[in-house]
Amino acid sequence: MLVELRNIRKSFGKNHVLKDVSLSIKEGEICALLGENGAGKSTLMNILGGIHQPDTGSIYVEGAEVKLTGPEHSINLGISFIHQELNLINDLPIYENMFLERDYKKGFKRVQHQKMIQETKKIFERMHVDLDPRTLVKDLDSSYKQIIEICRAITMNASVIIMDEPTTSLTDSEIERVFTMMRRLRDQQVGIIFISHKLKEVMEVCDSYAVLRDGKLVSEGQVSDVTTKDLARFMVGYDVRTDRLVQQRHRGEEILRAEELTYNTDFFNISFSIHQGEVVGFTGLLGDGRSELFQSIFGANDISTGKLFLYGKEIKIHTTMDAIKNGIAYLPRNRKENAIIKDMDILENSAIASWNMHAKWGIIQNRVHREKLDTLQKQLKIRMTGSSSSILNLSGGNQQKIVLAKWLSTEPRILILDNPTQGVDVGAKEDIYDIILRLADEGIGVIILSSEANEILRLCNRTYVMYHGHLQGVLEGEEMNEQSIMELATGGDAFISKS
Amino acid sequence: MTEKNINRFHQFITWFKDRWSTSPLFSIFIALIVMVILQTIVLGFDYNSFGEWFTSWTNNWINILRNNASVAIVALGMTFVIMTGGIDLAVGATLVATGALTMTLLDVGASGLLGSIGITGWPAILITIIAVIIFGYLLGSLIGVTVTRGMVPPFIATLGAMMVFRSVTQHFMQGSAPRVPSEFLQISNLQIGNYMIMPIIYWILIAAIMYYISKRTTFGRQIIAVGSNERAARLSGINVKQVKFRVYALSGMLVAIAAIIQVSRIGSMDFAGSGRGMEMDAIAAAVVGGTSMMGGRGFILGTVYGVLIISVLNNLLNLFGVPPLLRDAFKGIIVIAAVLLQRKEKTS
């Protein structure tokens, strides 16, 4: 047993986050730690990482009981925590990041660049990483950043590595790269705790699993004994749908048409259209340019060349205000950076995009916004205590629903959703899918940008696949499946469509 | 004490602790009250009657408030600027530039601009006030455009503007000694029931308007959004550049008003010395009042408290006979102490 947590309890004020949880990790085991947001995963891992101290319960590292005093203590005992927000300095080269705050830079000693480079090379050879240690971290894609973190953990002689949702911002091929790395670590007898919301990944890479719900361990065992459906049930406490939700609706009027949109090196000659009653997907791998394309359509990035037609009439969008006036709404990816305003309360976060629509003489009509939020709270099943508390008090799923409420209050005709279920737990995910389908029923054109093929397949009537800024093809009906999407997304053209 | 009273006392303590730890405005307000009590004690009660004591106490306070009215008004504009994550170092220089225009327009001598085209008396004063406020708006706009269109960091843009505005003003005003008409002095010196409180009234009025703007208008709330998360604000349909432009323009206008008050108080202005360090006083007031230099958080009411705390402190130092050159040290300590006081423990 590498690490064992026994009967851990932890409360923050009146909030009992962990209620008697035990968990253990063996050498050469990848253990999935599962649970919805707020189930207590992060708190449990923060305790193992030395960031929080448990109220009661004990921690054993290689058989000996320890009292972790802080993050450094955990690291010294061989426990490395790779946080979701990577702890790398973009403007430094890889090798300096590998040795941040460590020996080769300590005190007044000369910084030993050569030595750090050599050490980094050694680690890279061992882990089969093909990178130049002198590359700046900002020039790396997200998967390599993750890999650098893993390598750093290894240089610190980690015997247990905690990975908090390492794959959220990665594309399929990048995820594969990280998985290969994880398997290599397993072969070298390292124990890994893998936190993820993506059950398919858990099935693919993990050996064992442990599920937390409401601060309790509700299930644990070998991954080979269960299905994703079982895991989802353990997490939410009831059966979760996994079926296709696509509905054939009457294909109405054309809402939006784009012709030959091009911008710089981001995207080229993009033409597409969306009709009433349709849910249209845009998918591809990282760097496919779909976010840039729709941010530009929304007026958030520089304007592209080409034409946009709304209900057959050409429109010009220069700013996000223009887009909103024209009934276009865009829910961005990376909620925390792009959507949440942490210094404002829930009501304000839900109303910010529609302030101007209702304001009289520049005065915000809070009554109108409060009524709207009340209605939307019921429709979207938002769980919150009061509209004047901080948005940060909400779970990820409820935060995302508030962001969705913000856009629904602008009464959009087109709703663009970029990674709508990022960092959202299983239950809230299904709620969001329901909302999407209902909006499509109401005649709102819904565009979903997602790299999760499963999400696209379950929701979309039609899917455009992008590759390096080009529209590689469009898939519909029978021809839409994981394999055809993958083939187009990686640059293949077997499925270039007729439509 | 009866059981009931003890209970009430405990309730009060819990309430107090809770407010103290959650509301930055509350702790600042308590700090202010404590300082006012201290000041009252230091002033002493060595008077023949309560009436006499009260008159003396009130007069002292009216003096404090009147002397600080201009910097208080400037600090209100500064608060908005800081709330967007910016800073306005040019307020002192804008003060002399707008002050110089005020005096040039109104000069009763041969070179008076309005006088030379035959406009005198109250019409001239009214035109001057409007023109000077517009001028303040223009100077602020200049900074606003540099920051938003030119993408120059606010610190640099306003540092540059500070040097330009003051130097140009000093150059054009050298050798001239404009005198303003005596009616103009009424603006600040008009007595209301024996009290010269006009500057205080302007301050309260402007503070009230600014408070309303910050709480209830789209502009006021957009300032928070921009300061807190600029990217999210833009992606929520907020015209970030317009909001930023407006805070600098508004700051310029408020400085112009402060300049008018200052010139009408004493009838003249020292173009080399006036407003020097004003930017620091205004920033200090905002920061003491709980405004975050990172943007996204700020309180108009806090800035009012901030100005009061710093002025009471000045008054106290004066009463204690602290040597003038040492006084800034205390001011500095108070600013840092205020921020330490507001640093609430992060809850996980």
Side-chain angles (χ1 to χ4, degrees):
Chain A
M1 223 40 89
L2 271 177
V3 164
E4 198 179 349
L5 293 154
R6 257 187 233 162
N7 308 94
I8 301 288
R9 285 169 194 273
K10 177 78 184 171
S11 309
F12 295 109
K14 286 172 199 143
N15 191 3
H16 303 290
V17 183
L18 293 176
K19 306 160 188 165
D20 197 13
V21 176
S22 301
L23 183 73
S24 60
I25 309 296
K26 289 197 281 288
E27 291 91 350
E29 175 186 53
I30 303 180
C31 173
L33 182 60
L34 302 168
E36 293 198 282
N37 291 329
K41 303 183 301 273
S42 306
T43 311
L44 188 65
M45 288 303 105
N46 280 334
I47 285 173
L48 187 53
I51 297 161
H52 293 318
Q53 277 66 48
D55 296 339
T56 61
S58 39
I59 303 166
Y60 297 85
V61 176
E62 282 165 17
E65 186 171 358
V66 288
K67 280 246 175 304
L68 297 173
T69 51
E72 298 82 22
H73 192 186
S74 289
I75 291 170
N76 289 338
L77 290 171
I79 302 164
S80 269
F81 195 161
I82 301 178
H83 293 266
Q84 203 178 351
E85 281 114 27
L86 296 181
N87 191 13
L88 294 173
I89 297 172
N90 276 323
D91 291 313
L92 287 180
I94 292 173
Y95 71 89
E96 289 204 61
N97 269 290
M98 295 280 284
F99 296 96
L100 278 181
E101 305 156 17
R102 295 217 342 276
D103 284 348
Y104 303 120
K105 302 189 73 173
K106 231 176 211 166
F108 290 101
K109 265 189 248 164
R110 200 167 59 86
V111 179
Q112 292 170 292
H113 290 282
Q114 281 314 317
K115 180 130 196 214
M116 288 195 281
I117 294 171
Q118 291 307 325
E119 291 285 317
T120 309
K121 271 192 182 148
K122 248 186 253 166
I123 297 279
F124 280 2
E125 257 163 47
R126 185 174 137 204
M127 300 311 297
H128 303 272
V129 179
D130 188 22
L131 282 177
D132 181 354
R134 276 169 294 235
T135 317
L136 288 182
V137 166
K138 68 176 167 210
D139 296 331
L140 298 176
D141 73 30
S142 312
S143 66
Y144 278 115
K145 288 184 186 175
Q146 196 80 44
I147 285 170
I148 299 301
E149 285 261 17
I150 297 172
C151 291
R152 178 159 71 186
I154 298 167
T155 64
M156 296 189 282
N157 296 320
S159 53
V160 175
I161 300 180
I162 305 163
M163 300 177 77
D164 190 3
E165 297 194 44
T167 58
T168 21
S169 54
L170 303 187
T171 59
D172 287 348
S173 61
E174 291 173 336
I175 289 170
E176 206 38 61
R177 197 177 294 147
V178 173
F179 283 179
T180 313
M181 185 67 109
M182 286 167 65
R183 292 193 186 104
R184 219 164 266 154
L185 286 172
R186 173 173 56 192
D187 296 343
Q188 298 175 9
Q189 295 304 304
V190 174
I192 296 177
I193 300 175
F194 178 74
I195 303 178
S196 178
H197 282 302
K198 300 186 188 167
L199 299 179
K200 248 183 66 192
E201 293 177 359
V202 169
M203 301 306 287
E204 195 184 329
V205 76
C206 296
D207 306 309
S208 61
Y209 70 91
V211 183
L212 289 182
R213 189 167 75 226
D214 295 327
K216 284 186 206 128
L217 189 73
V218 289
S219 172
E220 60 183 325
Q222 293 302 310
V223 168
S224 51
D225 301 338
V226 290
T227 63
T228 50
K229 224 172 164 170
D230 295 330
L231 291 177
R233 191 181 60 239
F234 296 146
M235 284 163 69
V236 292
Y238 52 84
D239 267 312
V240 178
R241 317 170 291 181
T242 50
D243 51 324
R244 258 177 118 144
L245 304 166
V246 184
Q247 286 162 24
Q248 283 309 320
R249 297 177 203 83
H250 169 67
R251 195 167 180 224
E253 228 183 314
E254 176 190 274
I255 312 175
L256 185 77
R257 185 169 84 243
E259 282 180 4
E260 304 277 306
L261 298 182
T262 298
Y263 176 72
N264 214 354
T265 54
D266 286 343
F267 49 86
F268 314 91
N269 295 325
I270 307 280
S271 302
F272 67 89
S273 70
I274 170 163
H275 291 252
Q276 269 186 352
E278 273 190 319
V279 178
V280 172
F282 272 77
T283 187
L285 304 174
L286 193 85
D288 61 351
R290 61 174 189 272
S291 285
E292 290 80 0
L293 168 66
F294 281 96
Q295 283 181 10
S296 158
I297 289 175
F298 185 62
N301 285 357
D302 289 313
I303 330 157
S304 51
T305 58
K307 288 179 178 163
L308 265 185
F309 297 89
L310 191 67
Y311 289 105
K313 239 178 63 194
E314 190 175 353
I315 50 166
K316 294 252 180 251
I317 289 170
H318 300 281
T319 62
T320 49
M321 284 78 67
D322 294 346
I324 293 172
K325 268 181 219 136
N326 278 303
I328 302 175
Y330 171 74
L331 180 141
R333 61 167 64 200
N334 299 344
R335 181 170 60 241
K336 202 171 141 201
E337 292 85 49
N338 296 333
I340 294 293
I341 294 175
K342 66 176 187 339
D343 291 301
M344 300 201 314
D345 63 21
I346 294 172
L347 176 66
E348 288 194 303
N349 267 290
S350 78
I352 179 167
S354 48
W355 277 342
N356 280 327
M357 303 170 105
H358 301 285
K360 293 190 185 106
W361 299 94
I363 295 161
I364 296 172
Q365 302 297 309
N366 267 329
R367 198 177 44 81
V368 178
H369 296 298
R370 200 164 289 132
E371 278 166 14
K372 272 201 169 172
L373 180 59
D374 281 345
T375 327
L376 286 167
Q377 186 190 351
K378 279 180 213 114
Q379 284 175 13
L380 309 187
K381 301 187 198 156
I382 303 172
R383 270 190 292 171
M384 59 186 201
T385 44
S387 62
S388 59
S389 58
S390 165
I391 181 95
L392 300 180
N393 292 344
L394 298 182
S395 70
N398 284 310
Q399 283 185 6
Q400 189 73 335
K401 287 177 181 175
I402 291 290
V403 180
L404 197 55
K406 161 169 98 180
W407 288 114
L408 294 181
S409 345
T410 65
E411 284 158 24
R413 294 188 281 188
I414 296 234
L415 182 61
I416 303 160
L417 304 166
D418 195 348
N419 255 0
T421 55
Q422 184 181 16
V424 164
D425 53 53
V426 182
K429 206 170 185 170
E430 294 303 317
D431 287 346
I432 289 174
Y433 289 165
D434 282 338
I435 298 156
I436 290 172
L437 296 170
R438 209 179 55 231
L439 292 172
D441 289 341
E442 288 168 10
I444 294 173
V446 184
I447 299 174
I448 297 174
L449 279 54
S450 177
S451 46
E452 270 181 66
N454 188 35
E455 186 160 283
I456 296 280
L457 291 174
R458 285 183 69 194
L459 289 168
C460 298
N461 301 82
R462 210 144 52 86
T463 302
Y464 290 89
V465 186
M466 290 180 69
Y467 172 71
H468 284 310
H470 292 277
L471 211 50
Q472 200 70 11
V474 49
L475 300 167
E476 208 169 346
E478 289 298 306
E479 55 188 20
M480 216 166 91
N481 56 53
E482 219 158 311
Q483 197 202 339
S484 58
I485 288 177
M486 213 50 223
E487 214 158 324
L488 286 173
T490 49
D493 54 8
F495 288 87
I496 289 259
S497 171
K498 322 117 210 177
S499 51
Chain B
M1 265 199 287
T2 64
E3 183 106 357
K4 207 172 161 194
N5 278 340
I6 292 172
N7 250 338
R8 252 187 221 155
F9 182 71
H10 276 295
Q11 268 170 19
F12 173 76
I13 294 290
T14 343
W15 171 83
F16 188 90
K17 271 188 184 160
D18 185 53
R19 294 287 293 164
W20 180 271
S21 59
T22 53
S23 159
L25 273 184
F26 185 76
S27 35
I28 282 304
F29 184 68
I30 296 297
L32 175 62
I33 298 291
V34 169
M35 289 183 69
V36 171
I37 292 171
L38 189 65
Q39 177 218 28
T40 309
I41 295 167
V42 174
L43 272 175
F45 304 95
D46 194 12
Y47 297 95
N48 294 327
S49 65
F50 175 77
E52 208 175 288
W53 170 83
F54 186 72
T55 318
S56 156
W57 190 85
T58 318
N59 280 334
N60 183 44
W61 261 99
I62 288 176
N63 269 327
I64 295 175
L65 295 178
R66 193 179 49 216
N67 290 337
N68 287 291
S70 344
V71 72
I73 290 168
V74 171
L76 294 171
M78 183 69 81
T79 306
F80 275 12
V81 174
I82 295 177
M83 273 156 79
T84 64
I87 198 163
D88 189 351
L89 298 176
V91 288
T94 309
L95 185 90
V96 290
T98 47
L101 182 72
T102 314
M103 296 179 67
T104 315
L105 284 172
L106 284 174
D107 189 5
V108 289
S111 58
L113 279 180
L114 290 174
S116 63
I117 54 168
I119 305 172
T120 54
W122 284 107
I125 291 172
L126 194 67
I127 291 173
T128 303
I129 290 175
I130 293 169
V132 168
I133 292 178
I134 291 175
F135 185 55
Y137 173 84
L138 290 177
L139 292 179
S141 307
L142 213 60
I143 296 170
V145 168
T146 321
V147 170
T148 55
R149 299 281 156 202
M151 313 271 229
V152 180
F155 191 96
I156 305 296
T158 56
L159 182 71
M162 168 172 99
M163 300 198 232
V164 173
F165 293 171
R166 187 177 295 272
S167 142
V168 171
T169 307
Q170 279 183 266
H171 172 77
F172 280 108
M173 298 311 286
Q174 68 181 335
S176 67
R179 279 178 301 122
V180 295
S182 54
E183 298 99 310
F184 185 66
L185 299 184
Q186 295 280 307
I187 289 177
S188 286
N189 296 318
L190 185 74
Q191 301 203 350
I192 295 179
N194 277 336
Y195 295 115
M196 270 199 285
I197 52 169
M198 289 313 285
I200 306 173
I201 293 176
Y202 302 137
W203 170 16
I204 293 171
L205 261 176
I206 292 170
I209 294 170
M210 292 289 281
Y211 180 80
Y212 189 79
I213 291 177
S214 79
K215 288 283 177 203
R216 290 302 309 277
T217 65
T218 49
F219 172 53
R221 302 315 293 170
Q222 285 174 352
I223 290 173
I224 304 262
V226 168
S228 179
N229 188 342
E230 187 171 328
R231 201 174 152 68
R234 190 155 49 89
L235 286 172
S236 302
I238 289 175
N239 191 337
V240 171
K241 288 193 168 167
Q242 188 192 55
V243 171
K244 286 190 173 178
F245 170 84
R246 282 181 178 172
V247 292
Y248 292 99
L250 181 63
S251 174
M253 280 167 79
L254 291 177
V255 173
I257 293 172
I260 292 169
I261 293 171
Q262 201 149 322
V263 171
S264 74
R265 274 246 301 139
I266 44 175
S268 70
M269 187 179 253
D270 160 21
F271 302 116
S274 272
R276 279 213 195 268
M278 187 181 226
E279 58 283 344
M280 292 306 157
D281 285 339
I283 294 167
V287 167
V288 167
T291 300
S292 157
M293 292 300 287
M294 309 288 286
R297 197 190 70 166
F299 313 94
I300 286 297
L301 208 55
T303 301
V304 173
Y305 296 158
V307 171
L308 291 176
I309 285 182
I310 293 175
S311 1
V312 175
L313 178 80
N314 268 330
N315 188 238
L316 271 172
L317 296 175
N318 201 10
L319 294 169
F320 279 129
V322 174
L325 289 177
L326 254 184
R327 283 182 198 167
D328 269 358
F330 286 90
K331 244 199 259 181
I333 290 167
I334 279 284
V335 172
I336 295 169
V339 174
L340 285 176
L341 196 75
Q342 289 164 34
R343 212 181 49 181
K344 307 300 179 203
E345 225 180 308
K346 272 189 190 161
T347 46
S348 42

